[in-house]
Amino acid sequence: MDSDTRKLPSRRKPNRLPPEEYQRQWQPVFFTACTRDRRPWLTEANLATALTDLLDDNARANGCVVIAYCFLPDHMHVLACVAHPEGDVRSFFEGFKLGAANFASGRGIPSLWQRTYWDRHVRNMNHLWERINYILGNAVDAGLCAHAEDWPYSEFRGLPWEADAGNDNGRAGA
């Protein structure tokens, strides 16, 4: 093949669903984001605390709740869903990433994240529990601690729709 006709490999981008899929109440979405060049910044004590606060602030601002999360040195996972009819879980996560990048920049980390992130909608209750167990067990699998409960940068907060038992719309497996 002649060098003038060779194609360069294209960058693979994650596929996104239509916007309304990120606005379905109680539909859990699993997000993964990596640090730029996989630098081990996320578990620095002051950054990890700020990131947890940013998760909560952005969830509230976008009508969402965080079901579970885990910060590892070079990547993070979060499982969240829309809790209010006007919520948007994609806006929550993108707002979180932006806020985290701004916070980190003020502390000498010029570019916190890789450009994009991955998301996956949870299909049913079995898939939901697989994602929760994956999130909570990630630090153990990475050799960072012996037991999931020993990792200070992860948490399972419960299933928010259990508090809203009168609403069956959009729950995983419903």
Side-chain angles (χ1 to χ4, degrees), residues 45-67:
N46 65 344
L47 185 55
T49 301
L51 292 178
T52 303
D53 292 343
L54 282 166
L55 269 180
D56 293 334
D57 292 345
N58 278 282
R60 274 190 299 279
N62 289 282
C64 298
V65 292
V66 173
I67 298 168

Side-chain angles (χ1 to χ4, degrees), residues 34 39 68 88 102 107 120-121 128 134:
C34 297
R39 298 276 179 98
D88 187 313
N102 289 338
R107 277 136 191 87
R120 183 168 183 107
H121 284 64
L128 174 70
Y134 177 82

